């Protein structure tokens, strides 16, 4: 019995191994030899410039075997293997923009069309479906406003059919049918909530009232208010457009959004160079390159000024201003791969091992790789590393609704004590870098370099002196004033009995921060802030708190006075309208907005209103800079630090650029232009 | 007996209701909600979208209404839709994950129980020799090993250094390109074919044991074994449906080797020590002395008289382990990129996906209750001394 059992197990094991290694004559599709294909990737130049479209049709029309004898003319032959850290949750592109707005879905689901789009690596807004190099201006139209956009001809869906104005109208009407949908649709296609022109006071009803196809290549978008840059083109212009022919019948049969989202989108027409063909839940997702992609062979040259030169069929257009500065990227649009396979690794160490062993070519992760893995990756001979700025920030927020956080000198004095460079370079060991403005330096166009940290460049002794002076100037007093003891290199005695200018005593305060298990950096930061506050006589306790608990207390707060200070982080977008969204009084989190500090400053609100109406980038940038300066002075937030985004990839890959805000992951690891040698 | 079973079934239903209620409310009172957690940190999602999402998921209703609706739907077989994979039904998600977890963890469970029982039996029988000390120390050393570290060491050894086995995942995506099956179909086929072969193997052994003729017994044992093994291979190599699926089943089986090996090495010592102590106790019984006095061969005394009785606590532990096998192993699943039920439990609780978490927990609860029930019955079957009487 025992012998038999052992024999059975052994045989079963051998059979499985043999079967796994063996060919399956019954399933020819599965026996295609990807390994040989991988080695046949041609240089991108061989596929460039499809000057004669007729040539592109030949492979489908001609059956002669001679065609097969010219492998050098086959444009795509390699498999791009990417690792992702979580399974996609839907294959439906509508759901992926709403309830399933997860980055993992964004990575794998081929993109839809939009009128304008961001162009890497500068994130310049350039035409996608629109024909005009610059977004046309909104004009008064009857009771409301409208913009008429001409569309490019020759732009096609992945099934080869042209993308027209009717698709844009269909998309908007679908959103309208389901009462605006939710998630990203709410910002990309804000729905006008009534037929009357909206007033400035009535922000919630402002939006798009209609999208009409004037003809196949002209679309008219109507608004019930005068939109500024933040809405047109930065929201509506970038909003996704879906194909009517495929989704129309599904929408007709879907009484509610839930039914629409339940429909499978695998293989649905899209506007990228790939079709989604296979999703094995929990294991992998596969996209295959189109035989004919409308933009294949186009030439892009991106300058550091943000300008983009685009050449298609011999005609060159310039977008985003005058070319100037360095050439950041100069490449031909692909695809130069035959397919992209996204494998799921649920453990980062396992994923890095897969990368070093050559099982995958690139790891896609919005947070990049842990800094601790960097040396391991650098030691691997077959890997390259790209380090980029993240478009985000970790910050300390004060609840300005309650004393003493309501007092600017209090906020400023505590901020003065926070030595961000010391924290980043010494305590956090260089794994982070300090930031001072609400727009990170990596977002070059919008970044305000004039913003400095409170008490920047001062020594600990000077910081204590400055903080004490800030309090004194504002009329605050101590029973025991803090004094810097040079001999002990510490504050001795620490401040005691700090009272406000009206004699108000400071109640015990709590700083909520993620615990070390969730984020050791922010947890460490909170302990130092507690210590610095203690030096000044502020009774502050740093409390390691679960992420969900902090979120529950501040987004939106059940009790707006239920917290004192907290540390969290934001991931940001290239267009930094968050600078206003986070601090204008009409977006107070008690009202459901993102102004968690409850900050209210009429001067700031006035700037926000100007920003709403701004029509040009230059105007908007000036307002952003002013707003950033106000916040840096008034400090409802203290921006703390950011971490670089570390990405690793096989040295067999060639990207047209690797320096880009938020890393290559933010542009989907450039599947459309990457080449594999 | 009938009265006992009926009483136990009623108790189980009541206990399950309590379990479901407590689980639901424990998840509900977690701070925050699924929508807030999903949208926090993403300024792209305006506050209005949060309101839409709350309304869509029914989270804007009073808590008791939400609970009432959930229970009402639950007992109609509707476990709701996942908040985080909206609008996917919870049942679909569990059905997607369950086969992966069942196949991997059942295979590991059977392997380490089998290895542990055999090792425990020999340790007790050959008590005091050097081998016992080595196996015990080795087993306990492995048993106390930190699973993620050990798993990575094994991956490094077998996948990186020796390059014998795959690094992780349950399949090779490039081999599965354009596969005519979903992985779950293959998992289920693997499960059933292996189960049928195992049952045949067990049945042949059981029937052989009941026969008085030694020759017939041997024929039945070997014949049945050969039939089970032959049938297993015949299915994959001789039957059309098996042939078509063989390469994919083989790939999954190939990916299972390393996690099963790791789980076996880590866990077999627990079973081994349990068997050993149970066996040692049994060996002191009078009937063992009697068996020896009768002049029965050592192998018969060991296997027929001692090991059979020593099996009781091991069988109990096995049944309970089978009942909880569907919660998988979060760490094992993560290290080997084998997303199953364990991953669902953790992610749904962390993201406060209440329908999915309660749905997954309810499966575990039901199986655990059934497991305990089976154990109670099994005790009576295996050990006549514990048999339930009408007098209770």
């Amino acid at each position: 019995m025992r012998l038999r059992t052992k024999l059975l197990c052994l045989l079963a094991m051998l059979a499985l191994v043999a079967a796994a290694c063996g060919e399956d004559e019954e399933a020819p599709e599965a026996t295609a030899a990807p390994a040989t294909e991988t080695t046949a990737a041609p240089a991108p130049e061989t596929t460039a410039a499809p000057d004669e479209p007729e040539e592109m049709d030949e492979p489908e029309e001609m059956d002669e075997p001679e065609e097969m004898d010219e492998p050098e003319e086959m444009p795509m032959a390699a498999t791009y293997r990417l690792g992702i850290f979580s399974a996609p949750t839907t294959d439906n592109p509508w759901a992926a923009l709403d309830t399933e707005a997860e980055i993992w879905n964004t990575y794998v689901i081929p993109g839809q069309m939009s009128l304008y789009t961001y162009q890497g690596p500068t994130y310049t807004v350039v035409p996608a479906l629109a024909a005009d190099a610059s977004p046309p201006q909104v004009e008064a139209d009857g009771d409301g406003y409208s913009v008429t956009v001409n569309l490019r001809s020759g732009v096609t869906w992945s099934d080869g059919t042209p993308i027209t104005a009717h698709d844009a109208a269909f998309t908007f009407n679908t959103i309208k049918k389901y009462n605006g949908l939710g998630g990203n649709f709410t910002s990309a296609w804000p729905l006008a909530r009534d037929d009357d022109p909206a007033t400035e006071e009535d922000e919630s009803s402002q939006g798009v009232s209609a999208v009409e196809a004037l003809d196949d290549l002209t679309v008219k978008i109507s608004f019930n208010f005068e939109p500024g840059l933040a809405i047109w083109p930065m929201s509506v212009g970038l909003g996704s457009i879906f194909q009517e022919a495929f989704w129309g019948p599904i929408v007709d049969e879907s009484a509610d959004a839930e039914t629409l989202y339940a429909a499978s989108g695998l293989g649905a027409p899209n506007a990228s160079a790939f079709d989604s063909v296979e999703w094995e839940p929990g294991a992998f997702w596969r996209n295959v390159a189109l035989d004919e992609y409308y933009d294949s062979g186009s030439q892009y040259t991106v300058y550091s000024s943000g300008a983009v030169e685009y050449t298609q069929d011999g005609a060159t257009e310039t977008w985003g201003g005058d070319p100037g500065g360095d050439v950041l990227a100069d490449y031909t649009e692909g695809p130069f791969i035959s397919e992209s396979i996204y494998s799921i690794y649920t453990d980062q160490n396992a994923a890095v091992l897969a990368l070093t062993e050559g099982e995958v070519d690139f790891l896609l992760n919005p947070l990049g790789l842990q800094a601790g893995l960097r040396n391991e990756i650098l030691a691997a001979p077959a890997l390259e590393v790209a380090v980029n700025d993240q478009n985000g920030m970790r910050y300390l927020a004060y609840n300005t609704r309650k004393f003493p956080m309501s007092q600017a000198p209090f906020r400023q004095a505590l901020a003065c004590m926070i030595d961000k460079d010391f924290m980043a370079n010494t305590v956090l060991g260089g794994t982070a870098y300090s930031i001072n403005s609400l727009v990170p330096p990596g977002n070059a166009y919008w970044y305000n370099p004039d913003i400095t940290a409170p008490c920047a460049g001062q020594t600990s002794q000077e910081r204590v002196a400055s903080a004490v002076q800030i309090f004194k100037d504002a009329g605050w007093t101590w029973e025991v004033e803090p004094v810097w003891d040079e001999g002990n290199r510490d504050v001795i005695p620490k401040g005691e009995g700090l009272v406000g200018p009206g004699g108000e005593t400071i109640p015990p305060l709590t700083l909520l921060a993620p615990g070390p298990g969730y984020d050791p950096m922010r947890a460490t930061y909170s302990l130092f802030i507690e210590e610095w506050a203690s030096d000044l006589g502020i009774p502050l306790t740093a409390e390691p708190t679960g992420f969900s608990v902090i979120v529950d207390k501040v987004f939106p707060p059940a009790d707006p006075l239920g917290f004192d200070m907290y540390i969290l982080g934001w991931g940001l977008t290239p267009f930094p309208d968050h600078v206003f969204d986070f601090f204008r009084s009409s977006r107070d989190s008690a009202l459901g907005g993102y102004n968690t500090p409850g900050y209210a400053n009429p001067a700031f609100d006035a700037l926000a209103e100007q920003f709403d109406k701004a029509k040009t980038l230059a105007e908007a940038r000036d307002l952003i800079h002013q707003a950033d300066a106000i916040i840096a002075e008034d400090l409802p937030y203290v921006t703390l630090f950011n971490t670089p985004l570390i990405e690793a990839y096989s040295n067999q890959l060639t990207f047209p650029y690797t320096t880009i805000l938020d890393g290559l992951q933010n542009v989907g690891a450039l599947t459309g232009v990457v080449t594999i040698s | 007996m009938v009265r006992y079973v009926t009483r136990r079934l009623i108790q189980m239903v009541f206990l399950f209701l309590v379990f479901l209620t407590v689980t639901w409310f424990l998840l509900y009172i977690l701070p925050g909600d699924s929508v807030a957690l999903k949208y926090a940190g993403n300024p792209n999602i305006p506050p209005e979208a949060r309101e839409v999402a709350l309304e869509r998921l029914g989270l804007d209703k009073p808590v008791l209404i939400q609970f009432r609706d959930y229970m009402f739907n639950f007992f109609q077989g509707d476990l709701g839709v996942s908040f985080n994979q909206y609008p996917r039904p919870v049942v679909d998600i569990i059905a997607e994950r369950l086969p992966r977890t069942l196949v991997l963890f059942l295979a590991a469970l059977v392997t380490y129980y089998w290895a542990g029982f055999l090792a425990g039996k020999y340790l007790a029988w050959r008590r005091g020799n050097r081998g016992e000390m080595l196996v015990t120390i080795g087993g306990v050393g492995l048993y106390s090993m930190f699973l993620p570290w050990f798993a990575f060491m094994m991956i490094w050894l077998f996948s990186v250094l020796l390059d014998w086995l795959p690094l992780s995942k349950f399949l090779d995506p490039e081999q599965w390109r354009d596969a005519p099956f979903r992985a779950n179909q293959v998992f289920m086929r693997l499960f059933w074919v292996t189960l049928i072969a195992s049952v045949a193997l067990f049945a042949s052994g059981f029937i052989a044991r009941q026969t008085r003729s030694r020759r017939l017994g041997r024929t039945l044992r070997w014949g049945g074994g050969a039939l089970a093994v032959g049938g297993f291979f015949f299915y994959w190599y001789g039957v059309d449906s098996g042939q078509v699926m063989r390469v994919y089943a083989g790939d999954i089986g190939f990916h299972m080797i390393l996690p099963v090996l790791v789980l076996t090495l880590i866990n077999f010592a627990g079973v081994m020590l349990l068997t050993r102590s149970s066996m040692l106790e049994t060996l002191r019984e009078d009937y063992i002395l009697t068996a020896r006095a009768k002049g029965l061969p050592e192998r018969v005394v060991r296997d027929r008289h001692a090991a059979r009785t020593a099996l009781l606590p091991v069988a109990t532990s096995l049944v309970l382990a089978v009942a909880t096998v569907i919660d998988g192993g979060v760490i094992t699943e993560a290290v080997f990129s084998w997303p199953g039920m364990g991953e669902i439990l953790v992610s749904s609780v962390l993201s406060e996906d209440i329908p999915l978490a309660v749905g997954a927990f309810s499966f575990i609860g039901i199986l655990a209750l059934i497991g305990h029930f089976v154990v109670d019955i099994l005790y009576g079957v295996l050990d006549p001394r514990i048999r339930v009487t009408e007098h209770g």
Side-chain angles (χ1 to χ4, degrees):
Chain A
M1 177 69 181
R2 290 188 309 278
L3 184 64
R4 263 180 326 124
T5 315
K6 285 175 189 168
L7 196 64
L8 173 67
C9 291
L10 187 64
L11 284 173
M13 202 75 88
L14 288 172
L16 291 172
V17 173
C21 301
E23 296 286 317
D24 180 18
E25 56 282 351
E26 298 293 331
E29 296 88 349
T31 59
T36 53
E37 290 176 346
T38 310
T39 59
E45 288 74 18
T46 59
T47 64
D51 293 328
E52 297 172 2
E54 294 78 10
E55 286 210 345
M56 300 297 285
D57 295 329
E58 281 180 5
E60 287 183 4
E61 293 171 4
M62 297 175 68
D63 293 323
E64 283 80 3
E66 287 77 9
E67 284 254 324
M68 302 301 289
D69 294 332
E70 298 173 0
E72 65 278 10
E73 289 186 5
M74 292 173 69
M76 301 163 288
T79 298
Y80 189 14
R81 300 159 306 165
L82 302 106
I84 53 176
F85 291 175
S86 188
T89 57
T90 182
D91 60 6
N92 183 306
W94 294 86
L97 287 169
D98 186 355
T99 53
E100 299 311 306
E102 302 271 354
I103 189 70
W104 313 107
N105 296 328
T106 310
Y107 285 148
V108 300
I109 297 176
Q112 300 301 315
M113 182 43 79
S114 56
L115 295 172
Y116 288 85
T117 188
Y118 284 122
Q119 173 68 48
T122 53
Y123 293 106
T124 307
V125 174
V126 301
L129 181 59
D132 302 308
S134 298
Q137 291 295 311
V138 173
E139 293 172 350
D141 184 3
D143 286 342
Y145 295 82
S146 70
V147 60
T148 302
V149 185
N150 298 311
L151 309 184
R152 289 164 66 191
S153 60
V155 181
T156 57
W157 293 108
S158 55
D159 63 1
T161 59
I163 304 177
T164 69
H166 300 284
D167 293 313
F170 160 75
T171 301
F172 176 76
N173 290 331
T174 300
I175 293 166
K176 195 171 179 180
K177 173 181 175 179
Y178 300 119
N179 198 28
L181 293 176
N184 288 299
F185 288 110
T186 322
S187 53
W189 290 99
L191 192 62
R193 293 293 170 180
D194 54 45
D195 295 332
D196 299 325
T199 61
E200 285 181 10
E201 294 75 30
D202 187 15
E203 284 180 32
S204 61
S205 67
Q206 293 177 346
V208 179
S209 50
V211 176
E212 302 161 73
L214 301 182
D215 57 47
D216 280 356
L217 295 177
T218 313
V219 63
K220 178 183 171 187
I221 303 168
S222 302
F223 301 88
N224 67 347
F225 73 114
E226 186 177 9
L229 199 65
I231 298 295
W232 173 260
M234 293 303 188
S235 292
V236 175
L238 302 175
S240 292
I241 294 170
F242 294 79
Q243 192 199 47
E244 182 175 17
F246 180 86
W247 291 105
I250 296 171
V251 169
D252 289 343
E253 291 172 8
S254 303
D256 50 29
E258 186 172 325
T259 314
L260 170 63
Y261 293 169
S264 173
L266 204 65
N270 66 83
S272 82
F274 296 86
D275 250 338
S276 56
V277 292
E278 215 171 353
W279 177 22
E280 180 57 63
F284 70 93
W285 178 293
R286 187 162 75 96
N287 292 334
V288 296
L290 302 181
D291 292 334
E292 290 186 34
Y293 172 49
Y294 73 90
D295 206 29
S296 195
S298 300
Q299 184 75 27
Y300 289 83
T301 307
V302 185
Y303 295 87
S304 57
S305 66
V308 178
E309 279 181 353
Y310 172 75
T311 305
Q312 189 184 41
D313 298 338
T316 300
E317 293 179 56
T318 303
W319 301 329
D322 296 326
D326 299 331
V327 173
L328 301 181
D330 187 11
Y331 62 91
T332 305
E333 184 70 28
F336 306 116
I337 55 174
S338 57
E339 61 179 2
S340 52
I341 296 179
Y342 302 81
S343 297
I344 295 152
Y345 295 90
T346 50
D347 182 271
Q348 189 162 138
N349 290 302
V352 169
L353 207 52
L355 183 69
T356 54
E357 288 302 299
E359 193 172 284
V360 290
D361 303 312
F362 192 102
L363 293 178
L364 276 166
N365 185 8
L367 302 175
L369 298 171
Q370 293 165 6
L373 295 169
R374 188 176 176 178
N375 289 339
E376 185 183 333
I377 293 162
L378 286 171
L383 296 183
E384 300 281 347
V385 173
V387 181
N388 282 293
D389 281 347
Q390 281 196 62
N391 193 8
M393 62 174 168
R394 272 77 151 194
Y395 64 94
L396 162 71
Y398 296 104
N399 188 346
T400 65
R401 303 174 186 93
K402 59 195 287 193
F403 181 82
M405 285 73 65
S406 56
Q407 306 295 305
F410 174 87
R411 303 193 296 264
Q412 290 161 344
L414 183 55
C416 178
M417 293 292 286
I418 299 173
D419 190 341
K420 293 192 262 190
D421 289 336
F422 165 73
M423 288 299 300
N425 300 329
T426 306
V427 178
L428 301 181
T431 54
Y433 55 91
S434 59
I435 53 170
N436 302 318
S437 67
L438 294 165
V439 179
N443 197 355
Y445 182 81
W446 300 97
Y447 172 62
N448 184 349
D450 298 331
I451 305 263
T452 55
C455 305
Q458 294 187 1
T459 62
S460 299
Q461 180 179 7
E462 290 166 343
R463 284 177 186 275
V464 174
S466 298
V468 167
Q469 196 57 49
I470 291 170
F471 272 130
K472 280 184 174 175
D473 290 348
W476 292 62
T477 56
W478 285 267
E479 286 175 13
V480 179
E481 188 176 310
V483 177
W484 177 261
D485 183 335
E486 188 58 31
N488 288 299
R489 305 283 306 154
D490 200 357
V491 180
I492 301 174
K494 292 180 185 299
E496 283 179 29
L498 180 64
V499 293
E504 312 93 327
T505 54
I506 302 179
L509 302 174
T510 303
L511 169 59
L512 305 174
Y518 184 83
D519 183 355
M521 290 187 176
R522 277 177 280 183
T524 307
Y525 229 113
S526 68
L527 296 176
F528 275 83
I529 292 174
E530 178 190 89
E531 183 62 25
W532 284 319
S534 166
D535 287 346
L536 294 178
I538 299 169
L540 178 68
T541 305
E543 198 168 280
T545 309
F547 175 72
S548 59
V549 178
I550 303 177
V551 166
D552 193 39
K553 281 184 181 287
V554 300
F555 289 111
D559 174 12
L561 302 178
F563 69 97
D564 300 319
M565 304 178 206
Y566 72 89
I567 296 180
L568 275 183
W570 283 110
L572 304 170
T573 51
F575 183 66
D577 49 353
H578 65 270
V579 172
F580 289 105
D581 282 344
F582 290 171
F583 302 107
R584 63 199 302 177
S585 58
S586 61
R587 302 285 165 87
D588 192 309
S589 58
L591 305 172
Y594 286 127
N595 179 0
T596 54
Y599 180 67
N601 178 345
F604 187 89
D605 287 346
L607 277 183
E609 282 173 21
Q610 287 182 53
F611 180 77
D612 289 344
K613 293 172 185 166
K615 294 284 173 33
T616 66
L617 289 174
E619 192 184 349
R621 180 167 65 171
D622 181 51
L623 291 165
I624 292 279
H625 282 197
Q626 289 182 53
D628 211 346
I630 289 177
I631 298 303
E633 175 67 24
D634 233 4
L635 292 169
Y637 269 16
V638 182
T639 52
L640 298 176
F641 69 96
N642 208 352
T643 49
L645 192 123
I646 303 167
E647 294 175 300
Y649 55 93
S650 160
N651 63 7
Q652 304 292 303
L653 304 181
T654 305
F655 297 109
Y657 54 86
T658 56
T659 303
I660 178 172
L661 181 66
D662 264 341
L664 293 166
Q665 62 83 28
N666 206 39
V667 282
L670 291 171
T671 49
V673 292
V674 69
T675 56
I676 304 178
S677 59
Chain B
M1 186 67 175
V2 174
R3 188 182 295 173
Y4 171 76
V5 169
T6 310
R7 198 170 66 227
R8 283 301 315 272
L9 286 173
I10 292 169
Q11 283 174 355
M12 282 166 61
V13 170
F14 177 74
L15 199 58
F16 180 68
L17 274 173
V18 173
F19 169 79
L20 203 58
T21 306
V22 170
T23 306
W24 195 93
F25 277 101
L26 278 177
L27 289 163
Y28 185 85
I29 61 171
L30 285 173
D33 61 61
S34 170
V35 175
L37 289 176
K38 180 174 267 193
Y39 292 164
N42 183 356
N44 234 3
I45 308 288
E48 304 86 80
R50 282 206 312 253
E51 303 303 320
V52 172
L54 286 171
E55 189 182 335
R56 191 181 282 156
L57 300 177
L59 292 172
D60 58 336
K61 295 178 186 166
V63 55
L64 289 178
I65 302 292
Q66 288 183 47
F67 177 67
R68 184 204 64 190
D69 291 350
Y70 183 82
M71 294 298 268
F72 183 75
N73 291 332
F74 186 93
F75 287 103
Q76 289 190 321
D78 177 7
L79 272 59
V81 296
S82 163
F83 290 171
N84 277 348
Q85 299 186 40
Y86 185 85
R88 250 187 116 189
V90 166
V91 172
D92 283 7
I93 298 170
I94 292 174
E96 175 198 304
R97 300 295 186 98
L98 199 53
R100 283 178 221 155
T101 298
L102 272 181
V103 169
L104 175 64
F105 288 94
L106 271 181
L109 188 78
V110 169
T111 311
Y112 70 73
Y113 262 86
W114 174 68
F117 182 70
L118 282 184
K121 195 169 71 173
Y122 281 105
L123 285 187
W125 194 250
R126 296 181 182 169
R127 194 180 172 203
N129 67 11
R130 193 179 294 170
E132 185 205 7
M133 190 187 291
L134 277 175
V135 175
T136 306
I137 291 173
V140 172
L142 287 167
Y143 192 58
S144 53
M145 207 71 90
F146 183 51
L147 177 56
W149 179 84
F150 182 66
F152 275 116
M153 287 300 105
M154 295 291 278
I155 290 173
W156 175 79
L157 177 64
F158 287 102
S159 306
V160 179
L161 203 65
L162 301 172
D163 199 19
W164 288 354
L165 297 169
L167 281 169
S168 59
K169 304 199 295 286
F170 56 86
L171 51 77
D172 174 4
E174 295 189 49
Q175 187 163 342
W176 282 68
R177 185 192 280 111
D178 291 327
F181 314 99
R182 297 266 62 88
N184 268 9
Q185 292 173 273
V186 182
F187 270 115
M188 288 316 294
R189 192 72 61 84
L190 257 177
F191 176 78
W192 287 116
V193 173
T194 310
L195 186 70
I196 290 167
S198 306
V199 167
L201 196 67
F202 177 79
S204 69
F206 184 77
I207 295 168
R209 226 174 241 278
Q210 308 304 315
T211 55
R212 294 187 178 276
S213 160
R214 179 175 281 190
R215 179 176 292 179
L216 182 60
R218 193 178 297 154
T219 309
L220 277 172
R221 195 174 294 145
W222 282 99
L227 200 67
V229 174
F232 181 84
F233 286 104
F234 177 73
Y235 177 77
W236 295 113
Y237 286 86
V239 178
D240 283 351
S241 60
Q243 278 184 350
V244 174
M245 206 175 259
R246 189 181 71 229
V247 69
Y248 303 104
D251 189 44
I252 287 176
F254 190 45
H255 282 78
M256 276 174 62
I257 294 173
L258 197 49
V260 168
L261 181 64
V262 167
L263 287 170
T264 301
L265 287 174
I266 288 273
N267 292 311
F268 88 97
V271 183
M272 178 181 78
L273 295 177
L274 180 67
T275 309
R276 178 179 170 272
S277 60
S278 172
M279 183 97 169
L280 284 174
E281 208 166 301
T282 309
L283 289 174
R284 288 193 211 105
E285 296 284 345
D286 290 344
Y287 65 85
I288 299 294
L289 190 64
T290 308
R292 279 182 167 146
K294 282 198 300 185
L296 290 174
E298 287 290 279
R299 195 173 61 82
V300 175
V301 175
R302 186 190 67 201
D303 293 347
R304 291 273 178 93
H305 292 75
R308 195 172 174 183
T309 311
L311 187 65
L312 194 67
V314 181
T316 307
S317 146
L318 175 65
V319 173
L320 291 178
V322 169
T324 54
V325 80
I326 69 157
D327 63 359
V330 177
I331 294 173
T332 312
E333 287 182 2
V335 170
F336 289 101
S337 297
W338 196 289
M341 291 296 290
E343 196 269 339
I344 273 193
L345 286 170
V346 173
S347 64
S348 60
V349 170
L350 288 178
S351 60
E352 300 189 28
D353 188 345
I354 296 176
L356 185 55
V358 177
F361 276 118
S362 66
F363 266 73
I364 292 171
I366 289 169
L367 276 181
L369 286 170
I370 292 172
H372 278 92
F373 178 71
V374 170
V375 165
D376 284 350
I377 304 294
L378 202 64
Y379 255 97
V381 173
L382 286 177
D383 190 342
R385 292 172 298 182
I386 317 173
R387 206 156 281 166
V388 177
T389 67
E390 286 298 317
H391 306 293

